[in-house]
Amino acid sequence: MNSEIIKPENLVYAKPSLLNDTPMHYCPGCSHGVVHKLVAEVVEEMGMQDKTVGICPVGCAVFAYRYIDIDWQEAAHGRALAVATAVKRLWKDRLVFTYQGDGDLACIGACETLHALSRGENVTAIFINNAIYGMTGGQMAPTTLLGQKTSTCPYGRQPDLHGYPLNITELAAHLDGTCYVTRQSVENVAAIRKAKAAIRKAFQASIDGCGASLVEILSTCNSGWKLTPAQANRWMQQNMFAKYPKGDIKDTVCTAENARHNNPTL
């Protein structure tokens, strides 16, 4: 095709400059690659490439630092928000975010997650919820749905045996330290655009010193679910959206002027 007739506004899938050419290790159909692209686009559009620090712990997202060209800090399993707290308190002018799965953020990291959000640390947690442990063999996660089969509950999750799914995003919305709590997804173009806007809003709130933000992204794990990518998207829509409804759950984002008035160090 003649490059002269390709208009910039038609380049829907243009790759952001922060997303490098390293081949991704994610399974085909995995939602992680889409969210990586959104993070790279938002950081680039905000002009924060040289002032952004991402924290990636253990799980499928452990190699996020290989793909997005910003500063990264590796964290022990579940400790991402503890590390993010230290980074942000030392470098107040940095955009600091964590990138965590449901096992990392809602299970082994539940303590660090809730306390960092409760303290109102000026960071953003990006929470990938695919209702399963994708990296280590498809075990039951805190977010696994009732009746959902995994390698550690092969007959389906039962409340009397395994307990109920943990809805940590709704818990976060009740904490005084959170300013923006939202749940989005990336299964189609409309959803992707809403997810990007949510990430942008959360990042700006962190920079402005409004408090802690949590952006949950409902995601697929077609390998763990034993489904094709198309089937996984449909399964997520038919099953996960009822338990984990999408949309903004809490929005008390302040203006930058009010944030600076409340915190002169910003």
Side-chain angles (χ1 to χ4, degrees):
M1 180 180 293
N2 189 340
S3 60
E4 295 179 356
I5 66 173
I6 300 177
K7 299 179 180 180
E9 60 267 28
N10 293 333
L11 292 176
V12 179
Y13 298 107
K15 187 172 71 173
S17 63
L18 299 190
L19 201 62
N20 59 45
D21 294 327
T22 303
M24 286 191 173
H25 72 287
Y26 301 119
C27 303
C30 178
S31 302
H32 276 298
V34 179
V35 184
H36 280 17
K37 182 176 186 288
L38 297 184
V39 170
E41 285 179 344
V42 170
V43 172
E44 182 176 29
E45 291 168 6
M46 295 178 73
M48 293 294 291
Q49 177 177 1
D50 296 331
K51 286 193 173 184
T52 297
V53 181
I55 315 296
C56 53
V58 177
C60 285
V62 67
F63 295 125
Y65 60 81
R66 298 178 62 187
Y67 311 123
I68 305 176
D69 289 334
I70 57 173
D71 289 329
W72 288 92
Q73 175 64 53
E74 195 76 17
H77 201 183
R79 304 330 186 225
L81 277 162
V83 175
T85 296
V87 173
K88 183 64 177 181
R89 290 192 179 194
L90 288 169
W91 286 336
K92 297 182 185 299
D93 65 333
R94 297 301 198 268
L95 167 59
V96 181
F97 72 93
T98 68
Y99 190 94
Q100 303 173 258
D102 44 0
D104 183 87
L105 182 142
C107 187
I108 192 172
C111 177
E112 281 78 2
T113 297
L114 292 175
H115 282 284
L117 297 178
S118 181
R119 292 193 304 268
E121 304 293 344
N122 293 311
V123 300
T124 294
I126 296 178
F127 169 34
I128 307 299
N129 177 8
N130 55 23
I132 203 169
Y133 278 78
M135 185 184 195
T136 55
Q139 299 93 338
M140 183 181 67
T143 53
T144 297
L145 302 176
L146 293 180
Q148 183 179 351
K149 297 178 180 179
T150 73
S151 62
T152 49
C153 56
Y155 301 104
R157 181 170 190 163
Q158 305 171 37
D160 58 336
L161 180 62
H162 309 110
Y164 292 90
L166 179 62
N167 206 324
I168 199 165
T169 301
E170 267 74 6
L171 289 175
H174 290 285
L175 302 176
D176 291 337
T178 55
C179 65
Y180 184 53
V181 179
T182 187
R183 180 182 292 115
Q184 304 295 332
S185 61
V186 291
E187 79 280 3
N188 56 43
V189 174
I192 289 170
R193 287 174 175 168
K194 290 180 180 179
K196 180 178 177 179
I199 293 171
R200 174 67 183 258
K201 183 169 186 174
F203 281 2
Q204 191 63 55
S206 299
I207 293 172
D208 292 342
C210 299
S213 294
L214 176 65
V215 179
E216 177 181 349
I217 307 289
L218 295 176
S219 306
T220 60
C221 182
N222 44 289
S223 295
W225 296 352
K226 312 302 181 187
L227 299 172
T228 67
Q231 290 170 339
N233 272 335
R234 288 194 294 270
W235 191 92
M236 177 179 65
Q237 292 172 301
Q238 294 167 0
N239 296 277
M240 292 184 69
F241 289 1
K243 175 62 180 176
Y244 303 113
K246 297 197 299 178
D248 290 350
I249 302 171
K250 179 180 183 180
D251 185 357
T252 58
V253 174
C254 60
T255 65
E257 291 75 16
N258 288 340
R260 283 191 287 270
H261 176 75
N262 294 332
N263 187 355
T265 63
L266 292 172

